[in-house]
Amino acid sequence: MAWYRSQFLPEWEHSAPLPVDLTQLGESRFALALCHRDGRIRQEAVSQSARHPGLLPLIVIRCTDWGSPVRESARQLLREVLDVDSALDLAPLILRVGRRDRGAFGVETLGEVLRRATHGQFTALFTSPDRIVRRFGYRLAVEGQLLRPAELARAAAQDEDNLVQDLCATAALTALCDEGAYEDVLPPLLTAANPRTRSAGVTALRRAGRPEKAEAFLSDRSALVRACARYVVRQNGGDPAAWYREQCTALGDPDLRPGAVIGLAECGARADAELLRPLLAHPAAGVRARAVAGLRVLDCADVEQLRPLLDDRAPSVVRETAVTLLPSAKELPADWLLERTGSARERHIRVAAFRLLDARGGVVALRAAVGLLDDPDVKLRTWAGQSVQRWHPSAEMQRGDPEVEQLLDRSRHLFSDHVLRRRKREAKQGGG
């Protein structure tokens, strides 16, 4: 084979080739032998590497070697030398090598060894910064029933990985066998930052015989948690829609939660839009934003009523308003929107106005995008440039509009000469 020719060999094989007898090699040179291109040398190195514990990571890699003799020798050695302490150290490597072809052996061996670990030793897996290691550790712990339900609940509430959260929350609730145990399990789940974990706790309230506590989660910030709370409340004979209506009727309530506003839209009827419209003027930005979103969900958005909210001081309100008005962008005055793309306006207002102008298409969209090419905000300049580059004349545009050619010339730095000529030709011929 060509790669065996001397000119293709690494420099160290020319200057310091490995001796026939590998027993005299130090650890660093032994590492080279374990990675040698010749399978016979790799196999010989594997058979003698037990005296070099620091090379165990390379043995893990050799367990997936394409050469069967090398692979089998490495696997035999790994079975003999891998103990709990070394398994904890090598877990990140073994689990990543396990993704390769022929990598399952290492993962299986790791599992066999770690099943002998003590509860304290497992802590190293649970606190690892590597989420793959944490997932593996919690799977072993759940299979071996090494953690109490309360410990699993705390893990579900504290871990940042979604898979660990789901695994531990499900295991914690499955392991419960008496009502009293819920006292230690439900609080961590119900107060977790992650919505999926909170939703598991809310759903478990019915099984725990405490469905009345689900009412407090009807206004949760997460749609998933609100849906689970509505299910539990209905199963207990309650009416979530009536609860939401009662909450939204108190217009002057400064403690009205935004989740109650959008919750009404999620389970209410179009007639409930009359309760949401007054909330567009609520002092809390979160309530105003959710009222806009609720009107969109109920398909009861009124362009003229929502238009003033494009000037709202809260970015969340303006963002929801822009999303709601996108289907009606052509009903908004173009000059009024263009005025709001000026640099004197706040960034969130400029972004919303440009988003609506871009949705209109035609020369108005091009005019807005070219006008923002010098915007002080880097991201907005970038979005404007991308809008110009993907712009094409719309069907209703006037053929040969001189303004289009002027605007394209102002943005010629965004196009090659060929593309610029093609855009101008399309504009002269009219939209398709």
Side-chain angles (χ1 to χ4, degrees), residues 34 36-44 46 59 61-76 100-102:
L34 285 169
H36 200 276
R37 57 185 170 79
D38 190 326
R40 291 166 296 183
I41 294 178
R42 294 199 305 277
Q43 183 179 3
E44 178 66 19
V46 168
I59 298 301
I61 295 174
R62 292 280 68 86
C63 286
T64 63
D65 198 283
W66 63 270
S68 177
V70 180
R71 187 169 67 247
E72 293 306 319
S73 296
R75 290 180 176 182
Q76 180 61 36
R100 297 181 176 182
D101 289 341
R102 302 178 293 273

Side-chain angles (χ1 to χ4, degrees), residues 14 45 144 151 160 174 183 224 243 261 287 321 335 347 395 410 414 418:
H14 290 288
E151 292 176 307
E160 298 176 354
T174 302
E183 294 292 345
L224 174 62
W243 185 90
V261 179
V287 172
T321 303
D335 292 341
R347 181 186 182 276
R410 285 175 56 188
L414 298 172
H418 170 71

